Amino acid sequence: QVQLVESGGGSVQAGGSLNLSCVTSGYTSTVYYMGWFRQAPGKEREGVAAVDMFRYITYADSVKGRFTISQDSAKNTYYLQMNSLKPEDTAAYYCAAQLTSRPWVRARLLRSEEYNTWGQGTQVTVSS
């Protein structure tokens, strides 16, 4: 069974940076696409960034130019580099993966229902 384990969250001041990591472990399976999501208290979970197996990348408008998604295939690890953090970026951040072979639509990669495997989340708190 594949597991996703996030790390790298923490507390920073506005303007600071954090680099989140998501390690895939367990049975080696193809990751067809992978995404980062966040959920603030009282708000719906929203997609932040996603990458598919062909290296197509998409970002939410709210993080474009500030966040960068990347991967290290040798380490089975995905990253979310977050720069110029704002208080409104405060949330629990989750990585998610689609491990089932199925057609996908790139325009839907930031939708949580497109994923079948989730990590436990890591908290990011940005103070003003």
Side-chain angles (χ1 to χ4, degrees), residues 32-34 49-59 69 71 104-110:
Y32 294 90
Y33 47 89
M34 180 273 175
V51 57
D52 71 14
M53 63 186 306
F54 302 110
R55 303 300 177 100
Y56 171 82
I57 290 174
T58 186
Y59 296 98
I69 188 171
Q71 65 183 101
W104 66 90
V105 177
R106 286 175 168 171
R108 294 180 60 85
L109 288 179
L110 294 182

Side-chain angles (χ1 to χ4, degrees), residues 2 7 12 14 16 18 24 29 39 54-55 66 78 90 107-108 115 119-120:
V2 175
S7 63
V12 296
L18 285 172
T24 61
S29 178
Q39 188 166 20
F54 302 110
R55 303 300 177 100
R66 300 189 298 124
Y78 293 83
T90 295
R108 294 180 60 85
Y115 295 80
Q120 82 289 350

Side-chain angles (χ1 to χ4, degrees), residues 63-118:
V63 306
K64 281 181 181 177
R66 300 189 298 124
F67 290 11
T68 303
I69 188 171
S70 63
Q71 65 183 101
D72 184 336
S73 299
K75 295 182 179 180
N76 296 322
T77 302
Y78 293 83
Y79 302 96
L80 184 68
Q81 176 66 44
M82 306 187 295
N83 298 327
S84 302
L85 283 163
K86 305 175 181 179
E88 50 263 44
D89 294 319
T90 295
Y93 282 72
Y94 301 87
C95 63
Q98 175 55 256
L99 306 178
T100 300
S101 177
R102 44 170 274 186
W104 66 90
V105 177
R106 286 175 168 171
R108 294 180 60 85
L109 288 179
L110 294 182
R111 299 176 69 92
S112 58
E113 60 266 32
E114 299 300 305
Y115 295 80
N116 65 357
T117 303
W118 291 81

